[in-house]
Amino acid sequence: MAVIHEVPVHPQARFFGAGPYPARRAAVAVVAVLAGFALTVIWSAPFVDSVIGDSVANGLLGYDAKATPISGVLAGTLFAFVSGLAGSFTACNIAAFGAVAPLVGGQAAEKRRFATTLKPLGWIAAGMLTVSVVYGVIVALVGTRMPQFSTAKTTGLSPRSVQSMVAFGVVGLVFLLLGLIALGLVRNPLAGFTRRHPAAPLVLMGALIGGFLIGRPYPLFRIMFRSAAEEHNVLYGAAAFALQSVGNIVVMAVLFLLLTHATGGRVHRWLAAKPARIATVTGAALLVGGTFTLLYWDVRVLGRLGIIWFPAINW
């Protein structure tokens, strides 16, 4: 009599459609999309960018980040990291927190050793830094001719706005697709590849976070962008953009480590009690982040310009 061995599912593969799935996955998807829509409506860029972002940057740097010119390469690299950290909660970066759920869910079936939890962060960093370093080099070589540098308006939208809409639109759509795959509502087209390379989902997530810089219009990022573009130093460009991305994920990484190690295992036990919860939490988080990113950077922008109507609460 032949013995059938069950092939274990790698924890990180679960948010790429390996199941098990919640019984009401369609309902979970609808609620998550509505939550992303609600977040788009109530989001206040002036409060987040100025009250939170500028305050954090000014406090860490010890001077007015917007009013003080970057004095050199060393100052620019420090500014890059601090401005990335200060921009953690801006609309440009909020989707990065959608990665926390896949990270925590991926650890639910593993031993909670500190080194084990650092490994998925390393894979995310690998994907993120590949994109941000390459883009930093391109900015240093092309300089101020980059579309992201231009604010000239010809049809109501500046080249910088168009680039933001394209970049964040693509990121938002990919997040939505990942969320639907995590819930089992869409088949994973790369199932075989992810089985052979279980770290691939994390590398992709990192690449998407690195892609935020390609569309980012955050004022403090624009200051760093101008500095890198005018210096024409590829090492400075690569380092500055890499440190900006690292700053973007510090809070996310700390949150993940706290949920993993500072809760006495309660989060892991709750997820492991019903394995479908991993797909539920992961899929919902990705759908909220994807919906917000797509609606805020594409649809709400058109609403702000009066091209279409989109509800927004200004505060």
Side-chain angles (χ1 to χ4, degrees), residues 148-244:
Q148 197 171 3
F149 193 81
S150 175
T151 57
K153 295 183 179 180
T154 54
T155 59
L157 290 171
S158 66
R160 185 172 68 198
S161 296
V162 172
Q163 184 167 329
S164 293
M165 293 177 70
V166 172
F168 284 110
V170 170
V171 170
L173 287 172
V174 175
F175 264 76
L176 287 172
L177 178 60
L178 293 180
L180 294 174
I181 290 174
L183 289 173
L185 293 170
V186 173
R187 180 180 174 275
N188 178 12
L190 301 175
F193 180 81
T194 54
R195 279 195 297 269
R196 294 191 300 273
H197 305 281
L202 296 176
V203 176
L204 174 60
M205 188 68 65
L208 293 172
I209 294 173
F212 294 166
L213 300 189
I214 299 175
R216 187 164 223 177
Y218 179 46
L220 293 180
F221 170 73
R222 292 205 303 268
I223 295 173
M224 186 210 77
F225 186 99
R226 176 187 291 272
S227 176
E230 292 178 344
E231 284 286 340
H232 293 290
N233 182 328
V234 293
L235 293 178
Y236 172 43
F241 277 67
L243 287 171
Q244 171 85 189

Side-chain angles (χ1 to χ4, degrees), residues 53-259:
D54 291 355
S55 298
V56 170
N58 295 343
L60 292 175
L61 292 171
Y63 57 80
D64 189 327
K66 285 183 177 178
T68 306
I70 295 176
S71 58
V73 170
L74 290 178
T77 53
L78 174 62
F79 185 94
F81 175 76
V82 170
S83 60
L85 180 60
S88 296
F89 295 102
T90 61
C92 318
N93 195 64
I94 201 67
F97 290 94
V100 174
L103 285 171
V104 174
Q107 296 295 306
E110 297 189 355
K111 295 180 180 179
R112 294 185 297 110
R113 294 193 299 265
F114 190 75
T116 303
T117 55
L118 289 180
K119 186 181 295 185
L121 288 175
W123 286 116
I124 283 182
M128 178 188 72
L129 292 176
T130 298
V131 175
S132 56
V133 165
V134 169
Y135 190 57
V137 169
I138 293 173
V139 169
L141 291 174
V142 179
T144 56
R145 292 173 294 166
M146 295 286 293
Q148 197 171 3
F149 193 81
S150 175
T151 57
K153 295 183 179 180
T154 54
T155 59
L157 290 171
S158 66
R160 185 172 68 198
S161 296
V162 172
Q163 184 167 329
S164 293
M165 293 177 70
V166 172
F168 284 110
V170 170
V171 170
L173 287 172
V174 175
F175 264 76
L176 287 172
L177 178 60
L178 293 180
L180 294 174
I181 290 174
L183 289 173
L185 293 170
V186 173
R187 180 180 174 275
N188 178 12
L190 301 175
F193 180 81
T194 54
R195 279 195 297 269
R196 294 191 300 273
H197 305 281
L202 296 176
V203 176
L204 174 60
M205 188 68 65
L208 293 172
I209 294 173
F212 294 166
L213 300 189
I214 299 175
R216 187 164 223 177
Y218 179 46
L220 293 180
F221 170 73
R222 292 205 303 268
I223 295 173
M224 186 210 77
F225 186 99
R226 176 187 291 272
S227 176
E230 292 178 344
E231 284 286 340
H232 293 290
N233 182 328
V234 293
L235 293 178
Y236 172 43
F241 277 67
L243 287 171
Q244 171 85 189
S245 283
V246 171
N248 287 164
I249 66 168
V250 167
V251 176
M252 179 208 79
V254 170
L255 178 60
F256 162 58
L257 293 174
L258 286 175
L259 290 172

Side-chain angles (χ1 to χ4, degrees), residues 11-60:
Q12 298 300 344
R14 286 196 175 93
F15 79 93
F16 255 56
Y21 307 115
R24 299 180 178 179
R25 46 191 170 178
V28 172
V30 171
V31 171
V33 169
L34 290 176
F37 168 75
L39 183 61
T40 308
V41 172
I42 66 174
W43 190 266
S44 172
F47 176 78
V48 175
D49 291 1
S50 300
V51 177
I52 298 178
D54 291 355
S55 298
V56 170
N58 295 343
L60 292 175

